[in-house]
Amino acid sequence: MAESDNIVVETAEKIFADLADPQTINNDRKEAWKVPLWQALSEAGLPLAWVPDDLGGSGASLADGFALLNAAGRFAIAVPLAETMLAGWLLAQAKIGSPEGEMTVLPANPKDRITLNPDGSLSGRVRGVPFAKAAKHFAVLAHGAGGVSIALVDAGKTKIEAGLNVGYDDSDVVTLDKVAPITVKPAPKHLDQTTMMLIGGVARSLQIAGALESMLNISVRYSNERVAFEKKISKFQAVQHNLAKLAGESAAALAAATSAADAIANATAFNDEVYLEAASAKIRCAEAAEKGGAIAHQVHGAIGFTLEHILHRYSLRALAWRDDFGSESYWAVELGKLVANRGADELWPLVASR
Amino acid sequence: MTAALRFDPIRLPPKCEELRKEVRAFLAEEMARGTFNPFKPNREDTDVPEFSRRVGERGWIGITWPKKYGGHERSFLERYVVTEEMRVANAPTRRFFVADRQSGPILLKYAPEHIKMDILPRICRGELCFAIGMSEPNSGSDLFAAKTRATKTDGGYLINGTKIWTSSAHIADYMIAIFRTSQPTKENRRHGLTQFLVKMKQPGIKVNPIGQITGQHEFNEVVFTDHFIPDDHVLGEVDGAWKQATSELAYERSGPERFLETYYVLTELVRAVGNDPDTRSAEGIGRLVAQLHTMRRMSVSVAGMLQAGKEPVVEASIVKDIGTVWEQQLPHRVRDLAAFVEETAGNRETLERQLDFAIKTAPKLTIQGGTTEVLRGIIARGLGLR
């Protein structure tokens, strides 16, 4: 991995290297690593990276925050860093300050809805919410008679049905039954659920790209160590070609994700061009997670299928991240509709505009 | 540790977008004039000399080259925009494209001054067509196996042997070819190949057409019998062509022409499904657009690396590998998605005709300019596996 010259990323990488070594975490069945890691991240101001100074955060740029999430993906971090960052960002859009501790965002699926009732309470049942069980607060995007609102909710006031995603991380069902929010404010005009989902999707894309980069690295390393049929397996052409394809998937994921992050960080409006970037990133990164992960496992053979090995920390999480904030199938349908609606002769101008 | 495969999100500067508008307007004019028909891909009219000259007049050939050789000293990113707009429009670029992409840059680097002054301005004016003489019977991507001999004689070399799969040799004015000047050594299998500038339509050169499964004629066999090449037509180091050839591959392998060759079927699919697609069509189109967008962002990124003076050989190989596999699958995916296109779709016939041609074109896309297997070998080397 190229050394980063980004101070936010450098800080994070140092913390990850010290407190989130994948092998150490993998061996730690009691999960004792979680508390010191979260503490160190919090002390460095990283979970609230996207919250401006005047709202209690560290005021990092969108670009720096996205780069931080890519680094988190390279370590397959399994604490709600991305979720708390997204929650802090969402709250800040309505000038709501962020509390201390873990947060997550609701809903996490484009088709789920939370309603702001006339009495100011919130209702709705939303699925697949990452780290809801671990969160102390929720940042909620809700629909009411007056349009879109953003609310801060005490997680203790909601009903949580625990679940796990395919990567063994919390992915829960949250039910709000006329819950009174701590704060609720109207969302700014440009912000709707689609925008929030796409930004969440880009966050996941960067994490997937990071995980693929690590899968490539550990697969190359393993192929240079493992001997079979009296040769290092890296010397077999079939293995080389598989790893070349993995490199391609990893590179494509990173290119799509960083391009989308750059597009959002520099966007003046969330127009079709930015939509193309964000939706494409989620679609392409999800496809890369499937193809690339399969190759990484193939190269590792049976050892990569064991719980003792770290490969699954990356491969399963990359697969799980495909489902959050809209799957690739969902975004492909939406992007396809957008393209069809603009018409055949506008397709190339759209692609070439980026 | 692996190579850092970073594709920074390079954005095309505003002057590229200005240029893009000019190119689009020019192409619209040429279509209106009847120079070419983008909806008729099974075209025998791909060689259009007047079109080349008009592109030359606009200053879009040799766009990055020094002005003293007829070039325009503009950026690779500007060149990129011209290439992709021409490709998407199915413009007949065959006559000048190889010289613009590859042969010109080789001459700039290795030809003696008087040859540069003679040939490069004519390329820029769109007057010359180049072919590339790499493959031979039983060699292909295995360049080391090339056998066609260049034997030293008074004032030059005598060439004997056969090149094959040579695109455009039948219309080419020049070929840049690799010939064997000595045997490989035990220490260096790559030793002994030399690059030459060959003037076509001269004694001792016979061009035999080879039919293709698309029905088009691009390929040829080129037979050399005691063909004389003067000393000043040697390009670069005698016996050292291998080194020269590899550093140029990034130009050949990462451009938009490496994923846009069958693009027209996607446009026609979008046209056929109309503005209210069913879920299946919408999803299929969405995925294809996401894949296309991602490749193009990677390709633009490599153009940015070239502009910055880097030699992104591994990155370019990745773009060509993913890009050519994609453009090869595209007609088949479009065929899948077109299965339920309404009988009444206005462009149905065009779509079917284009699909037919694209499906026949597809097999060559992962072969030309370095096979998938060769590219993956280069990527594997970049990963430290060999």
Side-chain angles (χ1 to χ4, degrees):
Chain A
M1 183 50 227
E3 290 302 310
S4 175
D5 52 5
N6 175 329
I7 183 79
V8 177
V9 175
E10 266 177 34
T11 307
E13 281 183 328
K14 191 170 179 318
I15 294 171
F16 296 152
D18 290 347
L19 298 170
D21 170 62
Q23 191 65 61
T24 311
I25 287 179
N26 200 43
N27 297 341
D28 179 3
R29 298 279 174 246
K30 289 180 182 157
E31 306 210 314
W33 54 273
K34 275 193 178 169
V35 173
L37 174 61
W38 185 258
Q39 215 166 0
L41 292 171
S42 301
E43 277 162 19
L46 297 174
L48 298 184
W50 276 336
V51 176
D53 304 339
D54 59 353
L55 292 173
S58 36
S61 66
L62 272 173
D64 284 354
F66 279 131
L68 163 61
L69 290 174
N70 185 225
R74 289 198 290 273
F75 284 83
I77 292 304
V79 291
L81 175 62
E83 292 73 12
T84 306
M85 283 172 64
L86 286 166
W89 170 84
L90 182 64
L91 294 170
Q93 299 310 300
K95 308 267 182 264
I96 301 172
S98 285
E100 294 271 301
E102 293 90 336
M103 292 194 283
T104 191
V105 282
L106 313 183
N109 183 315
K111 293 204 162 175
D112 284 355
R113 281 281 178 282
I114 290 177
T115 308
L116 176 63
N117 302 312
D119 67 359
S121 70
L122 297 165
S123 295
R125 183 169 188 272
V126 293
R127 303 157 299 140
V129 179
F131 292 105
K133 201 157 62 83
K136 295 182 174 61
H137 294 93
F138 298 142
V140 179
L141 189 132
H143 292 83
V148 183
S149 297
I150 294 167
L152 176 65
V153 169
D154 178 350
K157 300 266 177 71
T158 68
K159 186 180 153 220
I160 297 169
E161 297 159 66
L164 290 177
N165 67 19
V166 77
Y168 298 106
D169 290 327
D170 291 338
S171 176
D172 311 313
V173 180
V174 181
T175 308
L176 286 72
D177 183 12
K178 298 204 166 173
V179 171
I182 298 169
T183 319
V184 59
K185 288 187 183 174
K189 269 202 187 70
H190 64 271
L191 184 74
D192 60 13
Q193 191 162 326
T194 302
T195 323
M196 182 181 101
M197 291 297 145
L198 283 170
I199 291 172
V202 171
R204 284 295 188 253
S205 299
L206 287 156
Q207 289 175 285
I208 290 173
L212 277 164
E213 204 174 326
S214 292
M215 283 191 261
L216 174 64
N217 281 327
I218 64 175
S219 300
V220 166
R221 197 164 62 217
Y222 182 74
S223 77
N224 277 323
E225 289 165 357
R226 163 77 175 162
V227 172
F229 308 103
E230 296 162 1
K231 281 203 283 192
K232 286 181 185 174
I233 63 167
S234 63
K235 299 299 163 198
F236 291 97
Q237 202 173 46
V239 174
Q240 291 177 356
H241 286 196
N242 259 342
L243 287 169
K245 280 164 72 178
L246 171 54
E249 291 304 308
S250 169
L254 189 62
T258 50
S259 182
D262 175 74
I264 288 175
N266 294 302
T268 46
F270 216 92
N271 54 19
D272 285 359
E273 288 77 16
V274 180
Y275 192 104
L276 166 74
E277 293 258 16
S280 294
K282 190 74 199 298
I283 296 164
R284 190 62 185 86
C285 287
E287 291 177 347
E290 179 189 327
K291 289 187 197 163
I295 295 172
H297 274 280
Q298 188 71 22
V299 170
H300 277 85
I303 189 70
F305 197 63
T306 65
L307 279 177
E308 278 67 32
H309 199 279
I310 59 170
L311 177 58
H312 72 280
R313 293 191 60 79
Y314 303 102
S315 64
L316 293 183
R317 239 166 230 130
L319 293 177
W321 287 331
R322 295 179 302 173
D323 294 330
D324 300 333
F325 308 110
S327 71
E328 69 272 29
S329 303
Y330 173 82
W331 287 116
V333 170
E334 295 301 303
L335 180 59
K337 283 182 188 165
L338 182 142
V339 165
N341 203 263
R342 288 171 59 108
D345 295 325
E346 288 304 309
L347 171 56
W348 177 250
L350 174 66
V351 171
S353 70
R354 303 311 300 161
Chain B
M1 199 42 69
T2 60
L5 296 169
R6 300 218 73 93
F7 288 80
D8 291 335
I10 302 288
R11 300 291 167 195
L12 297 172
K15 68 179 168 184
C16 281
E17 299 313 325
E18 282 305 306
L19 176 58
R20 187 188 299 285
K21 280 187 210 152
E22 288 171 37
V23 178
R24 281 182 186 165
F26 168 79
L27 290 168
E29 226 171 82
E30 290 294 318
M31 282 182 241
R33 192 201 276 257
T35 311
F36 69 100
N37 179 355
F39 303 109
K40 209 177 128 217
N42 193 2
R43 52 206 188 276
E44 272 308 308
D45 60 343
T46 46
D47 176 33
V48 187
E50 324 83 72
F51 179 78
S52 295
R53 274 195 287 274
R54 285 196 290 270
V55 175
E57 273 165 31
R58 295 291 177 124
W60 296 336
I61 306 175
I63 200 168
T64 63
W65 306 350
K67 285 186 178 158
K68 78 176 213 192
Y69 302 123
H72 303 277
E73 298 181 8
R74 298 172 80 165
S75 68
F76 280 106
L77 298 175
E78 287 168 280
R79 185 182 173 280
Y80 189 94
V81 164
V82 175
T83 306
E84 65 179 358
E85 290 299 325
M86 295 265 176
R87 175 51 51 209
V88 162
N90 258 333
T93 59
R94 182 200 283 192
R95 184 165 268 274
F96 63 83
F97 189 65
V98 164
D100 182 56
R101 180 178 68 185
Q102 256 163 298
S103 315
I106 292 172
L107 293 174
L108 269 172
K109 215 164 168 186
Y110 300 112
E113 188 62 22
H114 69 277
I115 289 186
K116 286 195 226 177
M117 289 305 288
D118 171 33
I119 293 181
L120 293 171
R122 288 193 283 150
I123 295 178
C124 294
R125 290 199 297 269
E127 293 168 6
L128 293 183
C129 176
F130 272 70
I132 302 169
M134 293 269 195
S135 295
E136 294 184 12
N138 304 316
S139 78
S141 286
D142 178 12
L143 214 52
F144 307 148
K147 285 195 176 68
T148 298
R149 293 194 59 89
T151 314
K152 191 71 189 90
T153 183
D154 261 5
Y157 292 80
L158 283 180
I159 313 298
N160 281 287
T162 303
K163 290 287 172 187
I164 200 165
W165 319 131
T166 318
S167 294
S168 304
H170 59 302
I171 56 168
D173 303 284
Y174 289 95
M175 172 197 280
I176 290 181
I178 283 182
F179 299 128
R180 186 156 290 290
T181 34
S182 62
Q183 290 308 305
T185 59
K186 254 199 186 133
E187 301 74 48
N188 187 4
R189 214 161 78 80
R190 298 161 183 179
H191 176 83
L193 296 168
T194 304
Q195 211 162 21
F196 287 87
L197 175 65
V198 181
K199 192 165 188 191
M200 302 293 284
K201 295 160 193 148
Q202 295 290 312
I205 302 180
K206 187 161 186 288
V207 178
N208 303 315
I210 301 173
Q212 291 169 207
I213 63 174
T214 51
Q216 281 183 310
H217 173 207
E218 264 176 307
F219 289 167
N220 301 276
E221 177 193 63
V222 184
V223 182
F224 296 91
T225 315
D226 282 338
H227 170 68
F228 178 77
I229 298 183
D231 279 330
D232 63 357
H233 282 46
V234 171
L235 299 175
E237 198 186 322
V238 172
D239 292 338
W242 176 257
K243 231 178 19 214
Q244 293 168 211
T246 46
S247 69
E248 282 139 23
L249 292 176
Y251 296 97
E252 189 191 343
R253 290 186 168 161
S254 60
E257 70 275 18
R258 295 307 186 189
F259 53 88
L260 291 175
E261 190 151 339
T262 56
Y263 169 78
Y264 48 83
V265 295
L266 179 55
T267 316
E268 290 313 295
L269 174 68
V270 174
R271 204 183 308 285
V273 302
N275 60 12
D276 187 22
D278 61 83
T279 305
R280 176 178 176 275
S281 306
E283 191 200 346
I285 290 167
R287 281 186 189 257
L288 291 169
V289 170
Q291 292 157 358
L292 169 65
H293 162 77
T294 301
M295 270 173 328
R296 183 175 172 282
R297 298 295 302 131
M298 296 171 86
S299 178
V300 170
S301 186
V302 174
M305 296 177 208
L306 292 173
Q307 178 63 29
K310 296 177 189 159
E311 277 184 20
V313 173
V314 176
E315 290 85 348
S317 298
I318 286 177
V319 173
K320 182 173 186 277
D321 180 18
I322 297 182
T324 55
V325 167
W326 185 82
E327 64 181 1
Q328 182 169 75
Q329 287 171 347
L330 179 62
H332 299 284
R333 288 293 301 121
V334 167
R335 177 182 165 275
D336 288 344
L337 294 167
F340 300 105
V341 163
E342 299 292 340
E343 286 301 325
T344 51
N347 66 328
R348 199 184 166 90
E349 242 178 82
T350 309
L351 175 62
E352 281 173 6
R353 197 167 61 234
Q354 291 197 334
L355 262 180
D356 179 274
F357 183 70
I359 284 168
K360 287 171 182 158
T361 303
K364 77 163 180 174
L365 300 174
T366 49
I367 298 167
Q368 60 190 10
T371 63
T372 304
E373 291 74 11
V374 165
L375 295 171
R376 290 187 183 158
I378 293 169
I379 299 164
R381 191 182 302 283
L383 294 173
L385 301 174
R386 30 191 311 206

